[in-house]
Amino acid sequence: KRHEAAAWARLAHVALPHDYLNYVLTGELVMEGSDASGIGLLDVGARAWDASAARLVDAELLDKLPPLIGPGEWCGRLHPSAAEALGLPCGVPVSAGGGDNAMSALGCGCTAVGRVAVSLGTSGTVFGKAPAAARDPSGTVCSFLDSTGGGLPLVCTLNCASVLSRGAAARPSPA
């Protein structure tokens, strides 16, 4: 807004990449909770946009955020133009998808409270299913939502791959 005033003036909607892809597929611009919980504008307890947080950015930002859909809701149905381009039947339901960690949690079975996943790569994350979003005033634990209606408390560090490489290089050779 301060540095790109002309671009900000043209801004009609705020969407994440997969939300835009879903818009192209369906003609519907919506966002689901797991990704919405990662942009700092969601009241995770209410699963609704936080108007006061949005106003800290701009008085009109709330109007630019897409409607939120709940876990298990379709983001729409395949639009005729997308159906033709993809060779699929028109009207096929389209899943909203979700945030990368929420989708990882589904993929590795973290759909029950007590299951925890550790992901070591470019970043290092530890996350697991919880009944509700975490509320950590220190900011250490991210208050993400999962894609099933619960919470996905997550701790993250950057540059995890370099740490693993350095650790491996420092390890003594086997005798």
Side-chain angles (χ1 to χ4, degrees), residues 15-22 35:
L16 296 166
H18 84 267
D19 301 321
Y20 178 73
L21 176 60
N22 287 340
D35 245 1

Side-chain angles (χ1 to χ4, degrees), residues 62-150:
L62 190 61
D63 295 331
K64 298 174 188 298
L65 296 170
L68 293 164
I69 60 174
E73 289 185 64
W74 300 114
C75 67
R77 295 192 171 271
L78 196 59
H79 190 273
S81 60
E84 183 179 340
L86 297 169
L88 295 170
C90 184
V92 171
V94 177
S95 170
D100 55 352
N101 291 303
M103 295 295 98
S104 293
L106 287 177
C108 66
C110 289
T111 55
V113 174
R115 295 287 308 256
V116 175
V118 177
S119 174
L120 304 175
T122 305
S123 65
T125 57
V126 178
F127 52 86
K129 169 82 173 177
R135 300 283 184 160
D136 179 12
S138 76
T140 302
V141 178
C142 299
S143 58
F144 290 128
L145 297 173
D146 78 349
S147 291
T148 68

